[in-house]
Amino acid sequence: MENKKELYKEILKLSKYCDKIGLNHTLEPFFDGYAIIFGKKWDIVQHRFSYGSSRGYVEPAIGCRVDYNAVSLDSAKKLVKRYKARLNGVAR
């Protein structure tokens, strides 16, 4: 069986992207994968129970129209950039 860093590399890349754009977050183990946590309310996950994880997708829950659906890494990057102020806890 692959280790989780190989299996869930998209969420790890997304976490690095969040660092790059100055988005406050924590990366935590979650089930057999990871969760990127933004404040107390929002997250993006990738683990064996998340939608599309076996196909390299992540699952956001950040208060947008694609919450709880499988999204690609590129789409997830666009989402976190678009909602950066909200995810950082800055009212808009």
Side-chain angles (χ1 to χ4, degrees):
M1 181 170 180
E2 295 180 84
N3 75 40
K4 70 181 184 176
K5 286 187 177 185
E6 292 172 8
L7 194 57
Y8 303 122
K9 61 185 176 237
E10 294 81 12
I11 195 105
L12 300 174
K13 289 178 181 178
L14 184 59
S15 178
K16 287 183 183 200
Y17 179 75
C18 290
D19 287 336
K20 180 180 173 181
I21 66 169
L23 184 46
N24 298 325
H25 71 287
T26 58
L27 179 68
E28 300 179 2
F30 193 60
F31 292 110
D32 68 327
Y34 299 98
I36 297 174
I37 310 293
F38 307 99
K40 296 179 182 176
K41 193 172 183 181
W42 313 111
D43 65 42
I44 298 178
V45 300
Q46 190 179 34
H47 54 76
R48 69 178 160 170
F49 304 114
S50 63
Y51 292 111
S53 64
S54 64
R55 297 184 321 270
Y57 293 98
V58 298
E59 181 185 325
I62 59 172
C64 68
R65 66 178 179 76
V66 295
D67 279 359
Y68 308 106
N69 287 286
V71 299
S72 69
L73 175 60
D74 287 339
S75 293
K77 286 179 176 180
K78 290 174 186 171
L79 287 170
V80 297
K81 187 173 182 180
R82 178 178 181 184
Y83 294 106
K84 180 180 172 183
R86 176 195 301 164
L87 297 175
N88 270 338
V90 178
R92 254 192 162 184

